[in-house]
Amino acid sequence: MKYYDKLILELSKPGRTGYSLRQNDSCTTDALASLPEWGKRKTDVCLPEVSEVDVVRHYTNLSQMNFGVDTGFYPLGSCTMKYNPKINEEIAAMPEFQSIHPLQDKNTLEGIRAIFDEMDHALAAITGMSHFTFLPCAGAHGELTGLMIMRSYHMSRGDLKRTKVIVPDSAHGTNPASAAVCGLEIVEVKSGENGLVDVESLRPLLDDTVAGIMMTNPNTLGLFEREIKQIAELVHEAGGLLYYDGANMNPLLGVVRPGDMGFDIMHLNLHKTFSTPHGGGGPGSGPVGVCEKLVPFLGVRVSGYNGNFPVILRAYTYILMLGRQHIKQAGRLATLNANYIKESLRDAYKLPIDSVCKHEFVFDGLKEREGENHDELPTTLDVAKRLLDYGFHAPTIYFPLLFHQSLMIEPTETESLETLDDFIRVMHLIADEAHTQPELLRTAPHNCPISRPDETTAARNPKLRYE
Ligand SMILES: *Cc1c(COP(=O)(O)O)cnc(C)c1O
Protein backbone atom coordinates (compact mmCIF):
# COMPACT_ATOMS: atom_id res chain seq x y z
CA MET A 1 0.00 0.00 0.00
CA LYS A 2 1.21 3.49 -0.77
CA TYR A 3 0.52 5.74 2.19
CA TYR A 4 -0.65 8.56 -0.03
CA ASP A 5 -3.31 6.43 -1.69
CA LYS A 6 -5.55 7.08 1.29
CA LEU A 7 -6.54 10.06 3.36
CA ILE A 8 -5.63 9.94 7.03
CA LEU A 9 -9.37 9.63 7.79
CA GLU A 10 -9.56 6.52 5.65
CA LEU A 11 -6.75 4.90 7.67
CA SER A 12 -8.84 5.33 10.83
CA LYS A 13 -9.80 2.26 12.93
CA PRO A 14 -12.08 2.73 15.95
CA GLY A 15 -10.17 2.63 19.23
CA ARG A 16 -6.71 3.07 17.78
CA THR A 17 -4.72 5.91 19.34
CA GLY A 18 -1.39 7.56 18.81
CA TYR A 19 -1.51 9.93 21.74
CA SER A 20 -3.31 10.07 25.02
CA LEU A 21 -4.21 13.17 26.96
CA ARG A 22 -3.42 13.42 30.66
CA GLN A 23 -6.51 13.09 32.83
CA ASN A 24 -6.97 16.70 33.84
CA ASP A 25 -8.91 17.59 36.99
CA SER A 26 -10.33 20.74 35.50
CA CYS A 27 -11.84 18.76 32.67
CA THR A 28 -14.32 16.75 34.68
CA THR A 29 -17.91 16.10 33.80
CA ASP A 30 -18.75 18.89 36.27
CA ALA A 31 -16.72 21.38 34.28
CA LEU A 32 -18.38 20.16 31.09
CA ALA A 33 -21.81 20.48 32.68
CA SER A 34 -21.13 24.15 33.47
CA LEU A 35 -20.65 24.97 29.79
CA PRO A 36 -23.63 26.71 28.19
CA GLU A 37 -25.75 24.46 25.97
CA TRP A 38 -25.11 26.51 22.84
CA GLY A 39 -21.35 26.09 23.29
CA LYS A 40 -21.47 22.30 23.23
CA ARG A 41 -20.82 20.21 20.15
CA LYS A 42 -23.91 18.34 18.93
CA THR A 43 -22.06 15.68 16.96
CA ASP A 44 -18.82 13.84 17.47
CA VAL A 45 -15.75 15.55 16.08
CA CYS A 46 -14.46 13.79 12.96
CA LEU A 47 -10.91 12.89 13.96
CA PRO A 48 -8.96 9.92 12.59
CA GLU A 49 -8.12 7.15 15.03
CA VAL A 50 -4.65 6.03 14.05
CA SER A 51 -1.44 4.90 15.68
CA GLU A 52 1.63 7.11 15.86
CA VAL A 53 3.56 5.09 13.28
CA ASP A 54 0.70 5.39 10.79
CA VAL A 55 0.56 9.15 11.27
CA VAL A 56 4.32 9.49 10.84
CA ARG A 57 4.37 7.35 7.70
CA HIS A 58 1.35 9.05 6.22
CA TYR A 59 2.76 12.57 6.54
CA THR A 60 6.35 11.64 5.76
CA ASN A 61 5.18 10.00 2.54
CA LEU A 62 3.00 12.97 1.70
CA SER A 63 5.95 15.31 2.22
CA GLN A 64 7.97 13.23 -0.22
CA MET A 65 5.39 13.64 -2.96
CA ASN A 66 6.61 17.18 -3.20
CA PHE A 67 9.79 18.13 -4.98
CA GLY A 68 12.14 20.56 -3.27
CA VAL A 69 15.65 21.93 -3.60
CA ASP A 70 16.51 19.69 -0.65
CA THR A 71 15.47 16.60 -2.63
CA GLY A 72 16.94 17.27 -6.04
CA PHE A 73 18.07 19.52 -8.87
CA TYR A 74 15.50 22.22 -9.59
CA PRO A 75 16.51 24.13 -12.74
CA LEU A 76 13.42 26.34 -12.85
CA GLY A 77 14.38 29.29 -15.04
CA SER A 78 13.54 32.77 -13.79
CA CYS A 79 12.62 31.42 -10.35
CA THR A 80 16.17 30.87 -9.08
CA MET A 81 15.66 27.81 -6.92
CA LYS A 82 19.09 27.83 -5.33
CA TYR A 83 20.01 25.86 -2.24
CA ASN A 84 19.06 27.54 1.01
CA PRO A 85 21.93 27.07 3.48
CA LYS A 86 20.69 25.62 6.77
CA ILE A 87 22.47 28.28 8.79
CA ASN A 88 19.89 30.76 7.44
CA GLU A 89 17.18 28.67 9.09
CA GLU A 90 19.12 28.40 12.33
CA ILE A 91 19.47 32.17 12.56
CA ALA A 92 15.85 32.84 11.57
CA ALA A 93 14.68 30.37 14.22
CA MET A 94 16.62 31.98 17.10
CA PRO A 95 14.22 32.80 19.94
CA GLU A 96 15.71 36.31 20.08
CA PHE A 97 14.20 36.89 16.64
CA GLN A 98 11.19 34.61 16.86
CA SER A 99 9.65 36.21 19.92
CA ILE A 100 9.95 39.90 19.08
CA HIS A 101 6.86 41.99 18.38
CA PRO A 102 6.81 45.02 16.08
CA LEU A 103 4.90 47.05 18.68
CA GLN A 104 7.27 46.45 21.58
CA ASP A 105 9.19 49.41 23.03
CA LYS A 106 11.46 50.90 20.35
CA ASN A 107 14.41 50.91 22.76
CA THR A 108 14.29 47.13 22.85
CA LEU A 109 14.46 46.87 19.05
CA GLU A 110 17.78 48.54 18.46
CA GLY A 111 19.45 45.30 17.40
CA ILE A 112 16.74 44.74 14.80
CA ARG A 113 17.14 48.33 13.59
CA ALA A 114 20.87 47.68 13.18
CA ILE A 115 20.13 44.61 11.02
CA PHE A 116 17.87 46.67 8.75
CA ASP A 117 20.54 49.36 8.52
CA GLU A 118 23.24 46.85 7.67
CA MET A 119 21.00 45.21 5.06
CA ASP A 120 20.25 48.62 3.59
CA HIS A 121 23.98 49.28 3.42
CA ALA A 122 24.81 45.87 1.91
CA LEU A 123 22.08 46.02 -0.76
CA ALA A 124 23.09 49.60 -1.63
CA ALA A 125 26.68 48.41 -2.09
CA ILE A 126 25.58 45.45 -4.23
CA THR A 127 23.19 47.43 -6.45
CA GLY A 128 24.52 50.98 -6.56
CA MET A 129 21.26 52.38 -5.19
CA SER A 130 21.22 54.86 -2.27
CA HIS A 131 18.64 53.34 0.07
CA PHE A 132 16.07 50.55 0.31
CA THR A 133 12.65 50.02 1.82
CA PHE A 134 12.00 46.52 3.14
CA LEU A 135 8.22 46.71 3.25
CA PRO A 136 7.30 44.94 -0.03
CA CYS A 137 6.63 41.22 0.48
CA ALA A 138 7.24 39.91 -3.06
CA GLY A 139 8.82 40.86 -6.36
CA ALA A 140 5.54 42.02 -7.85
CA HIS A 141 4.79 43.95 -4.66
CA GLY A 142 8.18 45.64 -5.08
CA GLU A 143 7.34 46.54 -8.67
CA LEU A 144 4.09 48.16 -7.56
CA THR A 145 5.93 50.05 -4.80
CA GLY A 146 8.63 51.21 -7.22
CA LEU A 147 6.06 52.41 -9.75
CA MET A 148 4.19 54.28 -7.01
CA ILE A 149 7.50 56.01 -6.20
CA MET A 150 7.92 56.80 -9.92
CA ARG A 151 4.46 58.39 -10.05
CA SER A 152 4.97 60.31 -6.81
CA TYR A 153 8.19 61.75 -8.19
CA HIS A 154 6.52 63.03 -11.38
CA MET A 155 3.50 64.32 -9.49
CA SER A 156 5.70 66.16 -6.98
CA ARG A 157 7.06 68.17 -9.90
CA GLY A 158 3.56 68.87 -11.17
CA ASP A 159 4.32 66.74 -14.24
CA LEU A 160 0.91 65.09 -14.54
CA LYS A 161 1.06 64.02 -18.19
CA ARG A 162 3.36 61.10 -17.54
CA THR A 163 0.99 58.17 -17.44
CA LYS A 164 2.74 55.63 -19.71
CA VAL A 165 5.29 53.02 -18.85
CA ILE A 166 7.33 51.20 -21.48
CA VAL A 167 7.71 47.44 -21.01
CA PRO A 168 9.72 45.16 -23.35
CA ASP A 169 7.89 42.21 -24.95
CA SER A 170 10.27 39.83 -23.18
CA ALA A 171 9.30 41.14 -19.71
CA HIS A 172 8.10 38.97 -16.85
CA GLY A 173 4.29 39.05 -16.73
CA THR A 174 4.29 40.82 -13.39
CA ASN A 175 5.78 43.97 -15.01
CA PRO A 176 2.75 44.96 -17.12
CA ALA A 177 0.45 43.68 -14.37
CA SER A 178 2.05 45.92 -11.72
CA ALA A 179 1.98 48.90 -14.10
CA ALA A 180 -1.73 48.33 -14.71
CA VAL A 181 -2.45 48.04 -10.97
CA CYS A 182 -0.58 51.33 -10.50
CA GLY A 183 -2.91 52.96 -13.04
CA LEU A 184 -0.26 53.37 -15.72
CA GLU A 185 -0.76 52.73 -19.41
CA ILE A 186 1.53 50.04 -20.84
CA VAL A 187 3.43 50.58 -24.06
CA GLU A 188 5.27 47.54 -25.41
CA VAL A 189 8.70 47.78 -26.98
CA LYS A 190 9.81 44.96 -29.29
CA SER A 191 12.95 42.88 -28.99
CA GLY A 192 15.23 42.58 -31.99
CA GLU A 193 16.43 39.35 -33.67
CA ASN A 194 19.15 39.09 -31.02
CA GLY A 195 16.59 39.00 -28.19
CA LEU A 196 17.58 42.44 -26.88
CA VAL A 197 15.54 45.66 -26.64
CA ASP A 198 15.77 47.36 -30.02
CA VAL A 199 16.93 50.97 -29.50
CA GLU A 200 15.45 52.09 -32.83
CA SER A 201 12.02 50.74 -31.81
CA LEU A 202 12.34 52.48 -28.45
CA ARG A 203 13.26 55.94 -29.74
CA PRO A 204 9.84 56.88 -31.24
CA LEU A 205 8.01 55.79 -28.06
CA LEU A 206 9.78 58.36 -25.90
CA ASP A 207 7.98 61.62 -25.25
CA ASP A 208 6.71 63.75 -22.36
CA THR A 209 3.89 61.30 -21.54
CA VAL A 210 6.33 58.56 -20.53
CA ALA A 211 6.78 58.05 -16.79
CA GLY A 212 9.53 55.51 -17.30
CA ILE A 213 10.66 52.13 -18.61
CA MET A 214 10.77 48.80 -16.78
CA MET A 215 13.67 46.58 -17.69
CA THR A 216 15.20 43.30 -16.62
CA ASN A 217 18.91 42.94 -17.22
CA PRO A 218 19.88 40.26 -17.98
CA ASN A 219 16.44 39.95 -19.58
CA THR A 220 14.16 36.92 -19.35
CA LEU A 221 16.15 35.19 -22.10
CA GLY A 222 19.21 35.42 -19.84
CA LEU A 223 20.81 37.92 -22.22
CA PHE A 224 22.58 41.07 -21.11
CA GLU A 225 21.09 44.25 -22.58
CA ARG A 226 24.30 45.66 -24.02
CA GLU A 227 22.72 48.95 -25.12
CA ILE A 228 21.62 49.76 -21.58
CA LYS A 229 23.81 52.88 -21.30
CA GLN A 230 22.27 54.37 -24.45
CA ILE A 231 18.75 53.31 -23.40
CA ALA A 232 19.26 55.03 -20.02
CA GLU A 233 20.44 58.22 -21.71
CA LEU A 234 17.47 58.28 -24.09
CA VAL A 235 14.88 57.66 -21.35
CA HIS A 236 16.44 60.25 -19.03
CA GLU A 237 16.63 62.82 -21.84
CA ALA A 238 12.91 62.31 -22.39
CA GLY A 239 12.31 62.99 -18.67
CA GLY A 240 11.46 59.39 -17.74
CA LEU A 241 12.87 57.13 -15.03
CA LEU A 242 14.38 53.66 -15.34
CA TYR A 243 12.92 50.85 -13.27
CA TYR A 244 15.07 47.74 -12.82
CA ASP A 245 13.38 44.40 -12.24
CA GLY A 246 16.09 42.85 -10.07
CA ALA A 247 14.29 39.59 -9.32
CA ASN A 248 17.11 37.87 -11.18
CA MET A 249 20.09 39.80 -9.87
CA ASN A 250 21.94 36.50 -9.42
CA PRO A 251 24.47 36.70 -12.29
CA LEU A 252 25.38 40.32 -11.56
CA LEU A 253 26.20 39.88 -7.87
CA GLY A 254 29.46 41.71 -7.19
CA VAL A 255 30.10 42.15 -10.94
CA VAL A 256 27.78 44.85 -12.32
CA ARG A 257 25.47 47.30 -10.50
CA PRO A 258 22.09 48.48 -11.83
CA GLY A 259 22.81 51.91 -10.30
CA ASP A 260 25.87 52.20 -12.54
CA MET A 261 23.84 51.20 -15.61
CA GLY A 262 21.60 54.23 -15.03
CA PHE A 263 18.64 52.71 -13.20
CA ASP A 264 16.77 54.94 -10.73
CA ILE A 265 14.47 52.48 -8.95
CA MET A 266 14.65 48.70 -8.52
CA HIS A 267 13.47 45.75 -6.52
CA LEU A 268 15.30 42.61 -5.47
CA ASN A 269 13.76 39.22 -4.80
CA LEU A 270 15.43 38.15 -1.58
CA HIS A 271 13.61 34.83 -2.07
CA LYS A 272 15.47 34.17 -5.31
CA THR A 273 18.88 35.83 -5.46
CA PHE A 274 19.54 35.77 -1.73
CA SER A 275 18.68 32.11 -1.17
CA THR A 276 15.70 32.31 1.15
CA PRO A 277 13.26 29.49 0.42
CA HIS A 278 10.18 30.11 -1.69
CA GLY A 279 7.59 28.25 -3.68
CA GLY A 280 3.85 27.80 -3.80
CA GLY A 281 3.30 31.55 -3.58
CA GLY A 282 5.51 32.57 -0.71
CA PRO A 283 7.03 33.62 1.58
CA GLY A 284 8.92 36.45 -0.07
CA SER A 285 10.51 39.82 0.27
CA GLY A 286 10.98 42.38 -2.49
CA PRO A 287 12.94 45.34 -1.10
CA VAL A 288 12.89 48.45 -3.28
CA GLY A 289 15.96 50.62 -3.73
CA VAL A 290 16.17 54.10 -5.21
CA CYS A 291 18.83 56.56 -6.32
CA GLU A 292 19.67 59.61 -4.22
CA LYS A 293 17.10 62.02 -5.70
CA LEU A 294 14.22 59.60 -5.04
CA VAL A 295 15.06 58.88 -1.39
CA PRO A 296 12.36 61.36 -0.18
CA PHE A 297 9.72 59.17 -1.90
CA LEU A 298 10.84 55.92 -0.28
CA GLY A 299 8.37 56.18 2.60
CA VAL A 300 5.33 54.61 0.87
CA ARG A 301 3.60 52.26 3.27
CA VAL A 302 2.74 49.09 1.38
CA SER A 303 2.60 46.59 4.25
CA GLY A 304 2.24 46.51 8.00
CA TYR A 305 5.20 47.01 10.32
CA ASN A 306 8.63 46.12 8.89
CA GLY A 307 7.98 43.71 6.03
CA ASN A 308 8.72 40.00 6.02
CA PHE A 309 11.45 39.97 8.66
CA PRO A 310 12.36 36.23 8.75
CA VAL A 311 12.99 36.31 4.99
CA ILE A 312 15.12 39.44 5.34
CA LEU A 313 17.06 37.74 8.14
CA ARG A 314 17.86 34.72 5.96
CA ALA A 315 19.11 36.98 3.17
CA TYR A 316 21.17 38.94 5.70
CA THR A 317 22.78 35.71 6.87
CA TYR A 318 23.46 34.63 3.29
CA ILE A 319 25.15 37.95 2.46
CA LEU A 320 27.29 37.90 5.62
CA MET A 321 28.27 34.26 5.04
CA LEU A 322 29.53 35.05 1.53
CA GLY A 323 31.02 38.44 2.33
CA ARG A 324 32.34 40.99 -0.10
CA GLN A 325 34.96 38.70 -1.68
CA HIS A 326 32.87 35.61 -2.22
CA ILE A 327 29.57 37.10 -3.32
CA LYS A 328 31.16 37.71 -6.74
CA GLN A 329 31.72 34.00 -7.07
CA ALA A 330 27.98 33.28 -6.85
CA GLY A 331 27.15 35.31 -9.95
CA ARG A 332 30.08 33.99 -11.93
CA LEU A 333 29.39 30.35 -11.13
CA ALA A 334 25.67 30.74 -11.93
CA THR A 335 26.70 32.12 -15.33
CA LEU A 336 29.31 29.43 -15.95
CA ASN A 337 26.87 26.64 -15.01
CA ALA A 338 24.17 27.96 -17.35
CA ASN A 339 26.56 28.26 -20.28
CA TYR A 340 27.95 24.79 -19.59
CA ILE A 341 24.49 23.21 -19.83
CA LYS A 342 23.55 25.29 -22.88
CA GLU A 343 26.66 24.31 -24.82
CA SER A 344 26.38 20.64 -23.76
CA LEU A 345 22.77 20.29 -24.93
CA ARG A 346 22.61 22.43 -28.06
CA ASP A 347 23.21 19.36 -30.25
CA ALA A 348 19.88 17.91 -29.05
CA TYR A 349 17.72 20.97 -28.27
CA LYS A 350 16.94 23.96 -30.44
CA LEU A 351 18.80 27.10 -29.37
CA PRO A 352 16.93 30.05 -30.89
CA ILE A 353 19.44 32.71 -29.90
CA ASP A 354 23.08 31.80 -30.07
CA SER A 355 24.82 34.01 -27.55
CA VAL A 356 26.66 33.83 -24.26
CA CYS A 357 23.94 33.76 -21.61
CA LYS A 358 23.98 34.89 -18.01
CA HIS A 359 22.39 32.75 -15.28
CA GLU A 360 19.75 31.14 -17.52
CA PHE A 361 18.87 30.48 -21.15
CA VAL A 362 15.97 29.30 -23.28
CA PHE A 363 15.68 26.37 -25.70
CA ASP A 364 12.83 26.26 -28.19
CA GLY A 365 11.99 22.57 -27.68
CA LEU A 366 13.76 19.57 -29.20
CA LYS A 367 16.01 19.84 -32.22
CA GLU A 368 14.72 17.99 -35.27
CA ARG A 369 16.90 15.36 -36.90
CA GLU A 370 17.39 14.80 -40.64
CA GLY A 371 13.95 14.37 -42.27
CA GLU A 372 11.92 15.23 -39.13
CA ASN A 373 9.40 18.03 -38.69
CA HIS A 374 9.90 20.18 -35.55
CA ASP A 375 6.13 20.50 -35.06
CA GLU A 376 5.66 16.72 -34.93
CA LEU A 377 8.25 16.04 -32.25
CA PRO A 378 7.20 15.57 -28.62
CA THR A 379 6.62 18.96 -27.04
CA THR A 380 8.36 20.88 -24.27
CA LEU A 381 5.61 19.69 -21.91
CA ASP A 382 6.45 16.07 -22.81
CA VAL A 383 10.16 16.63 -22.13
CA ALA A 384 9.36 18.34 -18.81
CA LYS A 385 7.06 15.49 -17.73
CA ARG A 386 9.64 12.87 -18.70
CA LEU A 387 12.31 14.62 -16.60
CA LEU A 388 10.18 13.93 -13.52
CA ASP A 389 10.59 10.19 -14.15
CA TYR A 390 14.35 10.67 -13.89
CA GLY A 391 14.13 12.53 -10.57
CA PHE A 392 14.70 16.08 -11.81
CA HIS A 393 12.31 18.98 -11.43
CA ALA A 394 11.29 20.34 -14.82
CA PRO A 395 12.67 23.66 -16.06
CA THR A 396 10.26 26.54 -16.61
CA ILE A 397 8.15 25.78 -19.67
CA TYR A 398 6.29 27.95 -22.19
CA PHE A 399 7.83 31.10 -20.73
CA PRO A 400 9.03 33.51 -22.05
CA LEU A 401 6.29 33.76 -24.67
CA LEU A 402 8.72 34.67 -27.47
CA PHE A 403 9.00 31.04 -28.66
CA HIS A 404 6.39 28.29 -29.04
CA GLN A 405 8.28 25.61 -27.11
CA SER A 406 10.23 27.63 -24.52
CA LEU A 407 12.21 25.49 -22.10
CA MET A 408 13.96 27.83 -19.69
CA ILE A 409 16.86 26.41 -17.70
CA GLU A 410 18.56 27.98 -14.69
CA PRO A 411 20.96 25.78 -12.73
CA THR A 412 22.14 28.41 -10.17
CA GLU A 413 25.61 28.43 -8.63
CA THR A 414 24.89 25.91 -5.91
CA GLU A 415 25.08 22.75 -8.07
CA SER A 416 28.14 20.54 -8.44
CA LEU A 417 29.67 19.55 -11.79
CA GLU A 418 28.45 15.97 -11.17
CA THR A 419 24.84 17.13 -10.81
CA LEU A 420 25.07 19.24 -13.96
CA ASP A 421 26.61 16.32 -15.88
CA ASP A 422 23.89 13.99 -14.69
CA PHE A 423 21.20 16.43 -15.82
CA ILE A 424 22.90 16.75 -19.23
CA ARG A 425 23.08 12.96 -19.55
CA VAL A 426 19.36 12.60 -18.79
CA MET A 427 18.39 15.42 -21.16
CA HIS A 428 20.30 13.62 -23.94
CA LEU A 429 18.61 10.36 -23.03
CA ILE A 430 15.19 12.02 -23.24
CA ALA A 431 16.05 13.56 -26.60
CA ASP A 432 16.97 10.08 -27.90
CA GLU A 433 13.70 8.66 -26.58
CA ALA A 434 11.83 11.51 -28.29
CA HIS A 435 13.11 10.40 -31.70
CA THR A 436 12.86 6.65 -31.14
CA GLN A 437 9.94 6.11 -28.74
CA PRO A 438 7.97 9.38 -28.69
CA GLU A 439 4.99 7.73 -26.92
CA LEU A 440 7.17 7.26 -23.85
CA LEU A 441 7.39 11.05 -23.55
CA ARG A 442 3.80 11.76 -24.52
CA THR A 443 2.47 9.58 -21.71
CA ALA A 444 5.07 10.60 -19.10
CA PRO A 445 5.52 10.78 -16.18
CA HIS A 446 5.28 7.07 -15.42
CA ASN A 447 6.69 7.04 -11.86
CA CYS A 448 4.84 9.92 -10.21
CA PRO A 449 1.75 9.74 -7.98
CA ILE A 450 -0.08 12.04 -10.40
CA SER A 451 0.57 12.06 -14.11
CA ARG A 452 -1.14 14.75 -16.14
CA PRO A 453 -3.86 16.59 -14.26
CA ASP A 454 -6.01 19.14 -16.03
CA GLU A 455 -3.94 22.04 -14.73
CA THR A 456 -6.54 24.72 -15.40
CA THR A 457 -9.24 22.86 -13.46
CA ALA A 458 -6.76 22.02 -10.70
CA ALA A 459 -5.91 25.72 -10.33
CA ARG A 460 -9.40 27.17 -10.77
CA ASN A 461 -11.54 24.56 -9.02
CA PRO A 462 -9.28 22.85 -6.51
CA LYS A 463 -10.95 20.25 -4.30
CA LEU A 464 -9.42 20.85 -0.91
CA ARG A 465 -12.04 19.38 1.43
CA TYR A 466 -12.69 15.88 2.63
CA GLU A 467 -16.30 14.99 2.04
C1 LIG B 1 9.92 36.09 -10.08
C2 LIG B 1 10.00 37.31 -10.88
C3 LIG B 1 9.14 38.39 -10.59
C4 LIG B 1 8.03 38.33 -9.55
O1 LIG B 1 8.43 38.04 -8.26
P1 LIG B 1 7.35 37.47 -7.20
O2 LIG B 1 8.08 37.44 -5.90
O3 LIG B 1 6.94 36.15 -7.69
O4 LIG B 1 6.21 38.45 -7.17
C5 LIG B 1 9.31 39.53 -11.33
N1 LIG B 1 10.21 39.61 -12.33
C6 LIG B 1 11.03 38.59 -12.64
C7 LIG B 1 12.03 38.75 -13.74
C8 LIG B 1 10.95 37.40 -11.94
O5 LIG B 1 11.73 36.37 -12.25
Side-chain angles (χ1 to χ4, degrees):
M1 180 189 80
K2 293 198 193 81
Y3 280 80
Y4 45 71
D5 280 351
K6 289 196 168 167
L7 298 175
I8 189 87
L9 287 160
E10 292 166 340
L11 298 176
S12 184
K13 285 278 176 298
R16 218 169 259 179
T17 57
Y19 189 82
S20 42
L21 293 169
R22 196 158 56 101
Q23 279 300 322
N24 190 326
D25 292 342
S26 67
C27 192
T28 58
T29 14
D30 284 354
L32 275 179
S34 68
L35 281 177
E37 226 20 68
W38 58 261
K40 287 186 196 161
R41 173 179 283 287
K42 304 284 178 296
T43 52
D44 250 0
V45 59
C46 174
L47 289 175
E49 297 181 72
V50 279
S51 67
E52 180 176 305
V53 67
D54 285 339
V55 175
V56 169
R57 284 182 190 153
H58 180 74
Y59 286 106
T60 305
N61 278 288
L62 274 185
S63 76
Q64 289 174 358
M65 286 171 75
N66 218 343
F67 197 101
V69 177
D70 285 0
T71 43
F73 184 46
Y74 207 133
L76 199 62
S78 185
C79 296
T80 313
M81 301 298 278
K82 67 169 78 172
Y83 176 68
N84 315 291
K86 293 296 165 250
I87 185 154
N88 296 356
E89 299 305 316
E90 247 174 78
I91 302 283
M94 282 168 67
E96 289 83 347
F97 293 126
Q98 284 287 310
S99 47
I100 53 169
H101 191 282
L103 291 183
Q104 74 192 54
D105 185 345
K106 273 205 169 52
N107 295 328
T108 63
L109 289 172
E110 275 174 23
I112 306 299
R113 215 42 280 154
I115 289 176
F116 276 103
D117 287 347
E118 279 182 37
M119 262 305 258
D120 186 29
H121 191 71
L123 296 185
I126 289 169
T127 60
M129 294 287 139
S130 287
H131 283 292
F132 276 81
T133 167
F134 290 89
L135 293 184
C137 293
H141 199 194
E143 291 167 23
L144 176 63
T145 308
L147 291 169
M148 286 162 74
I149 291 172
M150 188 183 279
R151 283 194 70 167
S152 306
Y153 165 74
H154 291 306
M155 285 165 85
S156 76
R157 298 177 307 121
D159 195 350
L160 307 179
K161 290 189 301 300
R162 297 189 183 269
T163 53
K164 292 183 189 155
V165 65
I166 299 174
V167 181
D169 57 0
S170 64
H172 194 270
T174 51
N175 289 191
S178 304
V181 171
C182 195
L184 292 160
E185 190 188 325
I186 296 124
V187 181
E188 190 180 87
V189 59
K190 295 258 172 280
S191 308
E193 284 284 296
N194 57 3
L196 304 177
V197 168
D198 180 29
V199 178
E200 291 320 310
S201 307
L202 175 64
R203 227 182 265 276
L205 303 178
L206 294 167
D207 60 27
D208 62 0
T209 63
V210 169
I213 185 169
M214 296 181 88
M215 281 184 69
T216 311
N217 196 16
N219 65 24
T220 41
L221 294 172
L223 305 175
F224 192 82
E225 298 280 358
R226 287 192 219 107
E227 310 287 357
I228 187 60
K229 272 283 186 195
Q230 201 194 345
I231 293 172
E233 266 171 39
L234 288 173
V235 174
H236 282 150
E237 264 168 32
L241 295 176
L242 276 89
Y243 183 90
Y244 181 76
D245 177 343
N248 294 308
M249 179 73 193
N250 215 30
L252 304 191
L253 283 179
V255 184
V256 180
R257 308 192 313 167
D260 300 335
M261 293 182 221
F263 286 97
D264 305 290
I265 312 171
M266 66 173 292
H267 79 267
L268 287 165
N269 275 28
L270 297 187
H271 49 292
K272 289 181 183 169
T273 306
F274 297 93
S275 87
T276 80
H278 66 113
S285 173
V288 168
V290 294
C291 64
E292 194 63 43
K293 78 170 173 195
L294 297 177
V295 172
F297 303 95
L298 207 50
V300 277
R301 282 219 73 81
V302 293
S303 68
Y305 306 121
N306 300 313
N308 206 344
F309 185 57
V311 174
I312 295 163
L313 206 47
R314 290 179 177 95
Y316 174 72
T317 310
Y318 176 78
I319 291 171
L320 290 188
M321 289 298 290
L322 285 178
R324 197 181 281 275
Q325 298 92 358
H326 300 299
I327 207 156
K328 283 191 179 83
Q329 202 60 10
R332 288 179 174 156
L333 277 177
T335 303
L336 178 65
N337 288 354
N339 279 285
Y340 180 70
I341 295 181
K342 170 168 70 70
E343 292 305 313
S344 307
L345 288 177
R346 58 184 296 171
D347 58 332
Y349 294 84
K350 189 169 160 188
L351 185 63
I353 295 178
D354 187 5
S355 175
V356 174
C357 64
K358 289 289 174 274
H359 61 305
E360 64 193 0
F361 64 94
V362 181
F363 282 131
D364 186 10
L366 286 152
K367 193 169 181 169
E368 64 270 30
R369 290 182 180 168
E370 201 60 36
E372 283 177 342
N373 182 345
H374 189 244
D375 294 336
E376 286 165 13
L377 287 173
T379 62
T380 275
L381 177 70
D382 300 330
V383 172
K385 291 285 186 187
R386 187 67 177 137
L387 262 174
L388 303 178
D389 281 336
Y390 289 105
F392 289 109
H393 195 282
T396 294
I397 57 173
Y398 301 108
F399 175 81
L401 308 176
L402 297 172
F403 315 111
H404 291 301
Q405 296 291 338
S406 287
L407 186 72
M408 187 185 202
I409 299 175
E410 174 178 7
T412 82
E413 74 280 11
T414 51
E415 299 301 330
S416 68
L417 180 60
E418 290 73 25
T419 302
L420 300 183
D421 281 339
D422 200 33
F423 176 71
I424 290 163
R425 179 185 65 80
V426 164
M427 284 291 280
H428 273 134
L429 213 82
I430 292 174
D432 284 337
E433 289 174 355
H435 301 287
T436 54
Q437 325 166 56
E439 276 315 302
L440 203 54
L441 269 70
R442 292 193 174 113
T443 51
H446 304 279
N447 306 331
C448 296
I450 294 173
S451 179
R452 295 198 177 207
D454 173 343
E455 290 175 13
T456 310
T457 306
R460 299 283 151 82
N461 301 310
K463 275 195 194 158
L464 304 174
R465 284 186 64 210
Y466 177 71
E467 274 150 13

